[in-house]
Amino acid sequence: MRVRVRWMAVLRERMGEAVTVVELPDGARVRDLRAYLEERRPDLRRYWERVRWAWEDAYIDRDDEPLRDGEVLYAIPPVSGGL
Amino acid sequence: MPFRRSAEAYDLYLTEEALSLDDVFERLRMAEVGGIALFVGTVRCFAEGQTVEGLHYESHTHLALNELERIVQTALHRWPVRRLAVHHRLGDLGVGDVAVIVGAAAAHRGPAFEACRYVIDALKQTVPIWKKEYFSTGYRWVADPAEGSMTGSGDE
């Protein structure tokens, strides 16, 4: 399956692009996406420890949430809104 | 491209235009209300021992409005407040500019203060808005995990 990952804020700069298409085995879950990134970009380990995943309209709370082919996921680094 | 979500009990607004205290105040003023607490976050001229030259706020707006809605719903259940407003600035800001306004209107001052405090604190925890600080020497993303110990330490 393929998912599109949209990188937000500092992660977009670290990745050097706004969107990355990631190929994962069918049946992959959020934790598999994380494992893929840890292996692919070990230099960004601190980000993978802290990143939250989201859809367009909600945070994904479960690490075992199944991914769907073609869906868009948002990679949310630690937030810093407000004053 | 401002984004607004309004209902009887709240008004949520994300915009690249200047925020207006008068606008927030007028949205909260009503006959049943006897106390309005307003919190205003402004751009400070220093951070991490350096002089701040400006800021940039970025957001995942759809998710941010949903998270803000969740936060104000929680506050509305927890305190007897009549209406809440959260206006947050996006894009480029200069020193002294208003970055965020949180307002809480209630019959009495206690719940207004408490709900206002709760909303600004919760906003900083979960709402997907990011702050980039510009210095003469470069910039940094606040709460950048690569900076380690600086992350999540109270007021940035």
Side-chain angles (χ1 to χ4, degrees), chain B residues 3-6 10-14 65 68-69 72 86:
Chain B
F3 301 88
R4 164 159 269 136
R5 191 172 299 170
S6 269
Y10 56 85
D11 180 61
L12 312 174
Y13 188 54
L14 305 174
L65 286 174
L68 283 171
E69 193 168 29
V72 297
V86 183

Side-chain angles (χ1 to χ4, degrees), chain B:
Chain B
M1 43 105 260
F3 301 88
R4 164 159 269 136
R5 191 172 299 170
S6 269
E8 171 70 19
Y10 56 85
D11 180 61
L12 312 174
Y13 188 54
L14 305 174
T15 180
E16 295 200 352
E17 304 296 319
L19 299 181
S20 163
L21 265 166
D22 288 339
D23 179 53
V24 174
F25 178 59
E26 289 305 325
R27 287 170 187 278
L28 295 173
R29 190 150 68 128
M30 63 193 101
E32 316 86 279
V33 162
I36 295 174
L38 292 171
F39 174 81
V40 182
T42 55
V43 179
R44 194 180 48 216
C45 70
F46 63 91
E48 304 298 322
Q50 294 191 71
T51 302
V52 171
E53 301 193 332
L55 291 187
H56 181 86
Y57 283 103
E58 171 181 327
S59 167
H60 174 348
T61 43
H62 188 169
L63 180 59
L65 286 174
N66 285 0
E67 273 299 301
L68 283 171
E69 193 168 29
R70 193 181 59 74
I71 290 166
V72 297
Q73 294 287 12
T74 301
L76 289 164
H77 280 103
R78 201 173 288 181
W79 291 281
V81 286
R82 183 72 173 71
R83 187 177 286 169
L84 295 164
V86 183
H87 290 197
H88 203 300
R89 184 84 184 272
L90 300 176
D92 296 320
L93 284 76
V95 170
D97 285 352
V98 175
V100 61
I101 304 171
V102 175
H108 305 284
R109 70 184 184 283
F113 275 124
E114 288 172 27
C116 184
R117 175 70 190 254
Y118 170 80
V119 171
I120 183 63
D121 287 349
L123 182 159
K124 293 174 68 68
Q125 299 296 317
T126 67
V127 177
I129 296 175
W130 296 274
K131 177 160 72 173
K132 194 177 191 178
E133 290 174 333
Y134 287 91
F135 308 100
S136 61
T137 52
Y139 68 81
R140 71 165 194 137
W141 287 94
V142 176
D144 182 347
E147 292 188 357
S149 62
M150 277 203 289
T151 60
S153 55
D155 286 358
E156 276 81 43

Side-chain angles (χ1 to χ4, degrees), chain A residues 6-66:
Chain A
R6 291 194 72 91
W7 309 107
M8 306 304 295
V10 66
L11 269 171
R12 184 181 57 252
E13 294 186 358
R14 296 289 178 265
M15 295 301 292
E17 57 188 6
V19 180
T20 300
V21 177
V22 177
E23 287 248 20
L24 294 166
D26 285 349
R29 295 164 189 269
V30 166
R31 60 171 176 256
D32 300 313
L33 173 60
R34 190 187 302 269
Y36 169 89
L37 293 166
E38 283 168 353
E39 189 182 319
R40 192 72 177 257
R41 293 297 302 269
D43 57 314
L44 300 181
R45 178 180 50 84
R46 286 184 156 186
Y47 293 89
W48 311 137
E49 287 168 355
R50 299 283 306 277
V51 70
R52 283 185 83 178
W53 298 97
W55 293 293
E56 168 68 19
D57 58 349
Y59 280 114
I60 301 172
D61 291 324
R62 297 162 55 102
D63 214 34
D64 63 351
E65 183 74 33

